[in-house]
Amino acid sequence: GTSPGQDMKLSEEKVEGLRNFANKLWNISRFMLMNMDEPRVDVERPEGKTLADKWILSRLETIILETNKDLTSYNFSSAAERLRDFTWNELAAWYLEIAKVEGDKAKILNYILNMILKLWHPLIPFVTETIWSEVYGKESILMVEKFPVAVETQDLASSKFELLQAIITKIRNLRAENNIPPVKKIVGYVKQNDLVENNKHIICALARLESLESIVEFKEDVVSFVEGGIECALDFSGAIDIDAEKIRIEKEIDHIKPYVLAQTKKLSNAGFVDN
């Protein structure tokens, strides 16, 4: 967990963080197992059916390629950081949440589980070997399995899926800024777009929307935003206290006013501007 040539303070907090990741990997594996009928060691790379499937398989190939390069170059810290980011953020936080919505992912989950256990094995061998034996029995040994090699594929899904991620993230941020609790479902709107229309089940589930309706023009009392050229809006009516929100915003304006005035004075000073 440190770059070559750098000292690292091996604190309890550092060990705790790494232990938490080991727990996360265990829980990821357990979730995948719950969604498989009969796990297979020799499962072949499946074809993605949905946009999310194609995206995660493409990202997995990239991680396999980059991990091989890092390990060959003895960049162990870089390999661990990439794998951690992929496993925790892309796989667990995004794809597995979508898998709960879309369902029917047994083969693809089986394939991904095998790959990530093999990729992690040089770095956390005791954890990965234990999980492998839980899945395939004591007679199957992960250590002697072949290390993954990337398969060249045409990536047409990443940019589309990343746009969906950006829309979901923006909705989550707007909810947080307006203090709307996760349990409160709101209505969303989009100006007709095929990508959003085909994947609105993902947006509704991950952004906690009651519905996502395609319309030509937005109403006046909605909060709108544009992401990647796609126009969206959220209906917060009934979800927030308008009067309380006005008071909060007015307080924020009063707090920022002195700063704006100070900067305006500086910019009206010719000597300051020239320098």
Side-chain angles (χ1 to χ4, degrees), residues 9-217:
K9 181 184 176 185
L10 187 58
S11 60
E12 286 188 18
E13 290 78 14
K14 178 76 173 176
V15 177
E16 268 184 26
L18 299 173
R19 177 205 62 187
N20 291 345
F21 175 75
N23 284 344
K24 186 73 175 180
L25 184 60
W26 189 278
N27 289 333
I28 287 169
S29 303
R30 186 167 58 183
F31 171 80
M32 289 176 156
L33 276 173
M34 286 168 58
N35 288 274
M36 292 181 214
D37 300 324
E38 293 182 17
R40 289 178 49 193
V41 174
D42 59 347
V43 64
E44 294 182 358
R45 186 187 190 280
E47 289 295 323
K49 295 177 183 177
T50 68
L51 179 64
D53 293 344
K54 292 170 184 174
W55 168 74
I56 197 66
L57 287 170
S58 172
R59 289 296 303 134
L60 179 59
E61 293 302 334
T62 302
I63 290 300
I64 291 170
L65 182 66
E66 291 173 345
T67 303
N68 273 285
K69 284 181 181 176
D70 283 335
L71 295 182
T72 304
S73 307
Y74 308 107
N75 292 326
F76 306 122
S77 175
S78 176
E81 195 56 40
R82 287 184 205 275
L83 279 169
R84 184 188 181 283
D85 185 60
F86 172 77
T87 308
W88 196 304
N89 297 324
E90 294 179 287
L91 178 59
W94 285 96
Y95 185 70
L96 294 188
E97 291 304 311
I98 292 169
K100 293 174 186 176
V101 179
E102 292 184 334
D104 190 24
K105 305 286 188 189
K107 190 173 181 181
I108 194 169
L109 291 176
N110 191 171
Y111 177 76
I112 294 170
L113 177 61
N114 289 2
M115 291 299 108
I116 61 169
L117 289 177
K118 290 175 183 180
L119 290 170
W120 272 111
H121 190 66
L123 300 163
I124 45 174
F126 298 105
V127 175
T128 49
E129 194 71 73
T130 302
I131 295 173
W132 189 271
S133 66
E134 289 281 332
V135 179
Y136 296 114
K138 300 286 184 185
E139 66 281 358
S140 182
I141 301 171
L142 175 55
M143 187 189 289
V144 298
E145 288 289 321
K146 288 183 179 179
F147 199 72
V149 177
V151 178
E152 282 193 31
T153 56
Q154 193 175 13
D155 182 10
L156 301 174
S158 288
S159 59
K160 291 180 181 179
F161 188 82
E162 284 161 11
L163 182 51
L164 289 182
Q165 284 180 304
I167 291 170
I168 292 165
T169 302
K170 182 67 177 178
I171 295 171
R172 287 172 172 174
N173 290 342
L174 285 170
R175 291 181 65 116
E177 287 168 14
N178 290 277
N179 300 313
I180 298 173
V183 292
K184 180 73 176 177
K185 291 199 171 184
I186 55 177
V187 176
Y189 302 98
V190 62
K191 287 192 178 176
Q192 288 148 343
N193 180 275
D194 289 342
L195 176 65
V196 173
E197 185 64 31
N198 295 335
N199 294 279
K200 64 182 181 182
H201 60 289
I202 293 175
I203 299 173
C204 287
L206 272 62
R208 305 290 296 169
L209 297 181
E210 185 178 309
S211 63
L212 183 58
E213 300 173 19
S214 293
I215 58 176
V216 178
E217 290 297 331

Side-chain angles (χ1 to χ4, degrees), residues 203-257:
I203 299 173
C204 287
L206 272 62
R208 305 290 296 169
L209 297 181
E210 185 178 309
S211 63
L212 183 58
E213 300 173 19
S214 293
I215 58 176
V216 178
E217 290 297 331
F218 298 144
K219 296 184 292 184
E220 287 186 5
D221 57 346
V222 296
V223 177
S224 60
F225 65 92
V226 179
E227 194 66 57
I230 299 175
E231 296 181 65
C232 305
L234 301 173
D235 186 354
F236 286 154
S237 59
I240 59 174
D241 184 331
I242 301 294
D243 293 331
E245 193 61 20
K246 281 181 180 177
I247 293 168
R248 184 189 70 79
I249 291 170
E250 283 167 4
K251 284 181 180 177
E252 194 172 329
I253 290 170
D254 290 339
H255 178 71
I256 292 170
K257 265 182 183 176

